[in-house]
Amino acid sequence: AREPRRKIPLVPENLLKKRKAYQALKATQAKQALLQRKEQRKGKQIKFKRLEWFVHDSWQQLQDRVRLRWLKVKPHGLEVPDKHSLAFVVRIERINGVSSLVQRTIARLRLNNIFSGVFVKVTPETIKTLRIVEPYVTWGFPNLKSVRELILKRGQAKVKNKVIPLTDNTVIEEHLGKFDVICLEDLIHEIAFPGKNFLAISRFLCPFQLSVARHATKNRVGFLKEVGSPGYRGERINQLIRQLN
């Protein structure tokens, strides 16, 4: 027996007209957006770099070379403290025109954005790394309260090229369960008291983007009064964390 033909559902004429009008509208909007982008490209002004900036960059690189040479000649400096094993590093200076070694070190610390911060384990190698970028960062030793506040308020992780907030323990367990870290409290403990898995756990966290007033970069004098100058500040880093968190 032959199967009966299936009836094709009919679409009302008014709905077809609406669809056609909507598609025509979207096509017009896309065309207008394309023309607008072309006009914007035409109207873009060429950015010229002033001579003063070339002089500034050259002077900055010279300063870095002299400073890094002195670090090789006189490597003594800050010794690794006995009672502190965790440091928090915040980048508070621009790195335009600095030496390539400083740029690579900043990238290795994952401080690509200004006013971003990361946790690092205090070792002789870390102290040496921090001395290379000392004029551009400030760092010190955070307490448990500061670690907890930072992770709870600004903690984010990169999962499959997506940045997600740390609001779900299942994400933490899925990626850090092999280190016996299954919840947010375990993560805070592992960061605050660095162990053998500190590097992998800290790399799971994205750099903390701190909150700074909009006028901070323009009002340089006022910003320095509020935040302070770059370099080592010991346990006073906790005041900065409260201020910028």
Side-chain angles (χ1 to χ4, degrees), residues 117-149:
V118 292
F119 290 111
V120 295
K121 190 175 181 179
V122 178
T123 61
E125 290 76 17
T126 306
I127 298 294
K128 194 182 295 183
T129 301
L130 292 176
R131 292 204 67 196
I132 292 172
V133 296
E134 203 164 22
Y136 311 99
V137 303
T138 184
W139 64 282
F141 309 119
N143 54 29
L144 179 59
K145 183 181 177 182
S146 297
V147 175
R148 182 184 298 278
E149 287 178 355

Coordinates of all heavy atoms in Angstrom, one line a residue, residues 117-149:
G117 N 47.3 42.3 39.4 CA 48.2 41.8 40.5 C 48.1 40.2 40.4 O 47.1 39.6 40.0
V118 N 49.2 39.6 40.9 CA 49.3 38.2 40.9 C 50.0 37.7 42.3 O 50.7 38.5 42.9 CB 50.1 37.6 39.8 CG1 49.4 37.8 38.4 CG2 51.5 38.2 39.7
F119 N 49.7 36.5 42.7 CA 50.3 35.9 43.8 C 51.6 35.1 43.3 O 51.5 34.4 42.3 CB 49.4 34.9 44.5 CG 48.3 35.6 45.2 CD1 47.0 35.5 44.8 CD2 48.5 36.4 46.4 CE1 45.9 36.1 45.5 CE2 47.5 37.0 47.0 CZ 46.2 36.8 46.6
V120 N 52.7 35.3 44.0 CA 53.9 34.5 43.7 C 54.5 33.9 45.0 O 54.3 34.4 46.1 CB 55.0 35.4 43.0 CG1 54.5 35.9 41.7 CG2 55.4 36.6 43.9
K121 N 55.1 32.8 44.8 CA 55.8 32.1 45.9 C 57.2 32.8 46.1 O 57.9 33.0 45.2 CB 55.9 30.6 45.6 CG 56.4 29.8 46.8 CD 56.4 28.3 46.4 CE 56.8 27.5 47.6 NZ 56.8 26.0 47.2
V122 N 57.5 33.1 47.4 CA 58.7 33.7 47.7 C 59.9 32.7 47.7 O 60.0 31.8 48.5 CB 58.6 34.4 49.1 CG1 59.9 35.1 49.4 CG2 57.5 35.5 49.1
T123 N 60.8 32.9 46.7 CA 62.0 32.1 46.6 C 63.1 33.0 46.1 O 62.8 34.2 45.7 CB 61.8 31.0 45.5 OG1 61.5 31.6 44.2 CG2 60.6 30.1 45.8
P124 N 64.4 32.6 46.2 CA 65.5 33.5 45.7 C 65.3 33.9 44.3 O 65.6 35.0 43.9 CB 66.7 32.6 45.9 CG 66.3 31.7 47.0 CD 64.9 31.4 46.9
E125 N 64.8 33.0 43.4 CA 64.5 33.3 42.0 C 63.5 34.4 41.9 O 63.6 35.3 41.0 CB 64.1 32.1 41.2 CG 65.3 31.1 41.0 CD 65.5 30.2 42.3 OE1 64.7 30.2 43.2 OE2 66.6 29.6 42.4
T126 N 62.4 34.3 42.7 CA 61.3 35.3 42.6 C 61.8 36.6 43.0 O 61.5 37.6 42.4 CB 60.2 34.8 43.6 OG1 59.8 33.5 43.2 CG2 59.0 35.8 43.4
I127 N 62.6 36.7 44.1 CA 63.2 38.0 44.6 C 64.0 38.6 43.5 O 63.9 39.8 43.2 CB 64.0 37.8 45.8 CG1 63.2 37.2 47.0 CG2 64.7 39.1 46.3 CD1 62.1 38.1 47.5
K128 N 64.8 37.8 42.8 CA 65.7 38.3 41.7 C 64.8 38.8 40.5 O 65.1 39.9 40.0 CB 66.5 37.1 41.2 CG 67.7 37.6 40.3 CD 68.5 36.4 39.7 CE 69.2 35.7 40.9 NZ 70.0 34.6 40.4
T129 N 63.7 38.1 40.2 CA 62.8 38.5 39.2 C 62.1 39.9 39.6 O 62.0 40.8 38.7 CB 61.7 37.5 39.0 OG1 62.3 36.2 38.6 CG2 60.7 37.9 37.9
L130 N 61.7 40.0 40.8 CA 61.0 41.2 41.3 C 62.0 42.4 41.3 O 61.5 43.5 41.0 CB 60.4 41.0 42.7 CG 59.3 40.0 42.8 CD1 58.8 39.8 44.2 CD2 58.1 40.5 41.9
R131 N 63.2 42.2 41.5 CA 64.2 43.3 41.5 C 64.4 43.8 40.0 O 64.7 45.0 39.9 CB 65.5 42.8 42.1 CG 65.5 42.5 43.5 CD 66.9 42.7 44.2 NE 67.3 44.1 44.2 CZ 68.6 44.4 44.4 NH1 69.5 43.5 44.6 NH2 68.9 45.7 44.4
I132 N 64.2 42.9 39.1 CA 64.3 43.4 37.7 C 63.2 44.4 37.3 O 63.4 45.4 36.6 CB 64.3 42.2 36.7 CG1 65.5 41.3 36.9 CG2 64.2 42.6 35.2 CD1 65.5 40.0 36.1
V133 N 62.0 44.1 37.8 CA 60.9 45.0 37.5 C 60.5 45.9 38.6 O 59.4 46.5 38.6 CB 59.7 44.1 37.1 CG1 60.0 43.3 35.8 CG2 59.2 43.2 38.2
E134 N 61.4 46.1 39.6 CA 61.0 46.9 40.8 C 60.5 48.3 40.5 O 59.6 48.7 41.2 CB 62.2 46.9 41.7 CG 61.9 47.2 43.1 CD 63.0 46.8 44.1 OE1 64.2 46.8 43.6 OE2 62.7 46.6 45.3
P135 N 61.0 49.0 39.6 CA 60.5 50.4 39.3 C 59.1 50.5 38.8 O 58.5 51.5 38.7 CB 61.5 51.0 38.3 CG 62.7 50.1 38.4 CD 62.2 48.8 38.7
Y136 N 58.5 49.3 38.4 CA 57.2 49.3 37.7 C 56.2 48.6 38.5 O 55.0 48.6 38.1 CB 57.4 48.7 36.3 CG 58.5 49.3 35.5 CD1 59.7 48.6 35.5 CD2 58.4 50.5 34.9 CE1 60.8 49.2 34.8 CE2 59.4 51.1 34.2 CZ 60.7 50.4 34.2 OH 61.7 51.0 33.5
V137 N 56.6 47.9 39.6 CA 55.6 47.2 40.4 C 55.8 47.5 41.9 O 56.8 48.0 42.2 CB 55.8 45.6 40.2 CG1 55.6 45.2 38.7 CG2 57.1 45.1 40.7
T138 N 54.8 47.2 42.6 CA 54.9 47.2 44.1 C 54.5 45.9 44.6 O 53.6 45.2 44.0 CB 54.1 48.4 44.7 OG1 54.3 48.4 46.1 CG2 52.6 48.1 44.5
W139 N 55.2 45.4 45.7 CA 54.9 44.1 46.1 C 55.1 44.0 47.6 O 55.8 44.8 48.2 CB 55.7 43.0 45.4 CG 57.2 43.1 45.6 CD1 58.1 44.0 45.1 CD2 58.0 42.4 46.5 NE1 59.3 43.9 45.5 CE2 59.3 42.8 46.4 CE3 57.7 41.3 47.4 CZ2 60.4 42.3 47.1 CZ3 58.8 40.7 48.1 CH2 60.1 41.2 48.0
G140 N 54.5 43.0 48.2 CA 54.7 42.8 49.7 C 54.0 41.4 50.0 O 53.7 40.6 49.2
F141 N 53.8 41.3 51.3 CA 53.4 40.0 51.9 C 51.9 40.1 52.4 O 51.7 40.7 53.4 CB 54.3 39.5 53.0 CG 55.8 39.5 52.6 CD1 56.6 40.3 53.3 CD2 56.2 38.8 51.6 CE1 58.0 40.4 53.0 CE2 57.6 38.8 51.2 CZ 58.4 39.6 51.9
P142 N 51.0 39.5 51.6 CA 49.6 39.6 52.0 C 49.2 38.6 53.2 O 49.9 37.6 53.3 CB 48.8 39.2 50.8 CG 49.7 38.3 50.1 CD 51.1 38.7 50.4
N143 N 48.3 39.0 54.0 CA 47.8 38.1 55.0 C 46.6 37.2 54.5 O 46.2 37.4 53.4 CB 47.4 38.8 56.3 CG 46.4 39.9 56.0 OD1 45.6 39.8 55.1 ND2 46.5 41.0 56.8
L144 N 46.1 36.3 55.3 CA 45.1 35.4 54.9 C 43.8 36.2 54.6 O 43.1 35.9 53.6 CB 44.8 34.4 56.0 CG 43.7 33.4 55.8 CD1 44.0 32.6 54.5 CD2 43.5 32.5 57.0
K145 N 43.5 37.3 55.3 CA 42.3 38.1 55.1 C 42.4 38.7 53.7 O 41.4 38.7 52.9 CB 42.2 39.2 56.1 CG 40.9 40.0 56.0 CD 40.9 41.1 57.0 CE 39.6 41.9 56.8 NZ 39.5 43.0 57.8
S146 N 43.5 39.2 53.3 CA 43.7 39.9 52.0 C 43.5 38.8 50.8 O 42.9 39.1 49.8 CB 45.0 40.5 51.9 OG 45.1 41.6 52.8
V147 N 44.1 37.6 51.0 CA 44.0 36.6 50.0 C 42.5 36.2 49.9 O 42.0 36.1 48.7 CB 44.9 35.4 50.4 CG1 44.6 34.2 49.5 CG2 46.3 35.7 50.5
R148 N 41.8 36.0 51.0 CA 40.4 35.6 50.9 C 39.6 36.6 50.2 O 38.8 36.3 49.3 CB 39.9 35.4 52.3 CG 38.5 34.9 52.4 CD 38.0 34.8 53.8 NE 38.8 33.8 54.6 CZ 38.6 32.5 54.5 NH1 37.6 32.0 53.8 NH2 39.3 31.7 55.2
E149 N 39.8 37.9 50.6 CA 39.0 39.0 50.0 C 39.2 39.1 48.5 O 38.3 39.3 47.7 CB 39.3 40.3 50.7 CG 38.7 40.4 52.1 CD 39.1 41.7 52.8 OE1 39.9 42.5 52.2 OE2 38.6 42.0 53.9

